[in-house]
Amino acid sequence: MSQANLRHSAARVCLWFLCVFVAAGYLFQAFTPLRLTEDGVIYLTIANSAAHGHGFVYEGRPLPFPIGYPAVVALLEIAGFGSSLYLNLINLLAAGIGLVAVRSIARSRKLPDDAIKYVILGCLFSFILVKDAAMPLTDVPFFGVTLAAVALAESAACLTGRAAWSRWFIAILLAVCGISLRLAGIAGVLALLFEAWRAAMRSTKAIRNAATAVFVANVAGLIGGFIIWSLQPGTAKGTLAVRILQVYGTKPLWSILGDHFRDAGQLLLNLPISKIPADFRGISWLAGFVLLTAVTIAIFRTRAVWAPSRTFLLLYSLMLFASAYTPGGGSEPRYWLPALPLFAIELLLAGNQENLSSSPLVRLTLQSYVVYFVSLGIIAIGYSCFLTISSRAFLDAPITSNFKSQYEAWLLHRPMDDGPDPRVLPVLRTFGGNR
């Protein structure tokens, strides 16, 4: 057997090992005790209220939160499946749908099969997906639903007639479902409406006029619906839209942009900023700037080959940059999760056109980065699985630090400290499941 064949066989064995490892790791951490964040407490409290017929309210009042995820959780609770295991299985199902969609998008964009494997492994070994797959949050369901909508749009763009329009309709319907999970889903609806309108412009005049009218009406409806929805009573500090706009009066623009570069940089580094020494955290900002600049250049160089996934990526990124974290808000790289595979696809497409693989130095750099990225992903999966089996490690982990007293009362039946948060223990007892 030649040396080239030996290397190819070794790469295939390594790839199969990684696939088995990552599948086992995700399935194993589905059995973790309930992992809560502030948003998770709010979502599950709203779901519990809805399941008991009290409406989608939090502490007696509606919040400007999309109700899609609480509605699904409420249905699970009514059916007797409202526990952390089933919430995590929903996440795994959504992640699987998203990855199948990524494969479909990459094939529609003519990415080679070997490159598609790297994109999918990049998603699976991203610490963001590893972490959020075991949390009751909307990010992984949004990842699955939104990318499924984009994948259908990609296939519809290659068809004509009734088959195309039926796919456009389902794609836009899925994108609307994305809004029920996260407000940023508006980017998906706008992107697919625009792409459907572009497709209609290649048809007869009557269809062009009808498509333009539908496009304008839907955009106006989305904007009007957002204004009405955002005026719901939220907290005493004002409505959602008002609170976001107020941030621009309290933080300089460069600081707001830096927040988004910092979070995008964690995708490239595959490392949460909390794990980077304080003196070196600027590398996250730099990595985000490098990533977004590289993607922008890649899109510019391949601008002749436009696609619905690219329109979505641009609109979604612009929507993230238009938002602002409230003062004191933490890092949120999870918001970039749906963009992760699309960034990779754009970079790999541009790399294929430039034939970068012909350079030994570039190949070595890329291979070293893949090893680095996957190694950190293996550590993230291993750590998450360890938290699943070790109650002591789970209680000492950063993810439980905000509610440690409540976790100890729930897991170890210890008395709580004075002044505990009264919201958390009922959520743990209702949805905790595995202990």
Side-chain angles (χ1 to χ4, degrees), residues 42-63 67 70-71 74 77-78:
I42 293 173
Y43 281 125
L44 295 183
T45 301
I46 293 173
N48 190 43
S49 172
H52 289 85
H54 304 306
F56 293 92
V57 297
Y58 177 74
E59 296 182 341
R61 69 183 189 280
L63 287 184
I67 64 170
E77 185 180 356
I78 292 170

Side-chain angles (χ1 to χ4, degrees), residues 87-109:
L87 299 182
N88 293 336
L89 290 177
I90 290 289
N91 279 349
L92 292 182
L93 175 62
I97 292 171
L99 293 174
V100 171
V102 168
R103 182 171 178 266
S104 175
I105 294 168
R107 284 191 165 181
S108 296
R109 300 293 302 278

